[in-house]
Amino acid sequence: MNYAAPGASPIAIRRLDPVEAEARIDELADILVDAVEGGASVHFMADVSFDEARRFWRDQIDGLKADHKRLFVADGTRLVGTVLLMFAQQPNARHRADIGKMLVASSARRQGLGSRLLEVAENAAAEAGRTLLMLDTETGSAGDLLYRRCGWSEIGVVPGHAFKPNGQLASTTIFYKSLA
């Protein structure tokens, strides 16, 4: 699936295999650091280092190899967006998956890449037989608005759930989407 803003070079939304993910760790880390520096509450604090971001992505490789996780990216001349699809492994949860690390580089926002990444992850989950997706995001964030726009349903809000990169506590909204 490709997406390009008028006049821009095409940006492909595609699955990244474990070998290519390892080869492009620096680009993945750049996206994560950029998101945190922009204030995104994605499990890291403002002082996240490039090495920490690389470690995070490297830690995802085993799950990609085992096909417990799938990584989708927005790829133009370099990677500018990510989303992780994580399959529940419990025997009683083989119908579920989680969405995580839904990130678009600040230089590539407002082009519809977030909704395209999400759509590809949702379709992959459905193709894998998953009928229920879940995620959480900072209440009132760009992600919160994206998920609502894309038909996700709010379960509820947890006040003071996580620290934002700047150290302030923020509420988290938990969402689900039924693919059945």
Side-chain angles (χ1 to χ4, degrees):
M1 182 175 297
N2 290 317
Y3 174 83
S9 59
I11 297 175
I13 306 297
R14 64 185 185 85
R15 185 175 174 184
L16 208 62
D17 67 42
V19 172
E20 190 177 2
E22 180 68 38
R24 299 184 83 173
I25 285 283
D26 287 352
E27 291 174 75
L28 294 166
D30 281 339
I31 296 167
L32 180 56
V33 169
D34 175 70
V36 174
E37 286 177 351
S41 181
V42 290
H43 303 124
F44 293 91
M45 300 305 288
D47 61 353
V48 65
S49 71
F50 184 73
D51 286 338
E52 284 177 285
R54 288 183 65 179
R55 256 190 316 281
F56 168 80
W57 286 111
R58 189 159 282 119
D59 288 347
Q60 305 311 305
I61 301 293
D62 285 342
L64 297 176
K65 287 178 181 175
D67 203 29
H68 298 309
K69 297 179 181 183
R70 294 189 185 166
L71 174 58
F72 299 93
V73 295
D75 188 3
T77 55
R78 66 181 283 108
L79 300 184
V80 294
T82 66
V83 63
L84 269 174
L85 175 63
M86 300 164 284
F87 298 118
Q89 296 302 299
Q90 305 89 333
N92 69 341
R94 304 266 182 207
H95 65 294
R96 284 195 333 243
D98 291 312
I99 297 289
K101 292 306 174 273
M102 177 70 208
L103 308 170
V104 175
S106 57
S107 63
R109 292 189 187 135
R110 311 294 306 159
Q111 297 181 50
L113 296 176
S115 60
R116 302 294 277 189
L117 282 161
L118 190 58
E119 179 183 13
V120 168
E122 290 172 4
N123 289 339
E127 288 169 11
R130 303 301 168 127
T131 58
L132 179 65
L133 295 177
M134 297 183 70
L135 62 80
D136 65 75
T137 192
E138 180 186 340
T139 304
S141 67
D144 184 323
L145 299 174
L146 170 69
Y147 303 128
R148 292 175 194 282
R149 221 175 29 251
C150 291
W152 286 69
S153 299
E154 178 183 322
I155 294 171
V157 175
V158 181
H161 180 259
F163 286 103
K164 295 173 67 157
N166 66 8
Q168 293 179 324
L169 275 174
S171 297
T172 295
T173 302
I174 301 169
F175 288 94
Y176 76 94
K177 188 168 191 179
S178 176
L179 303 178

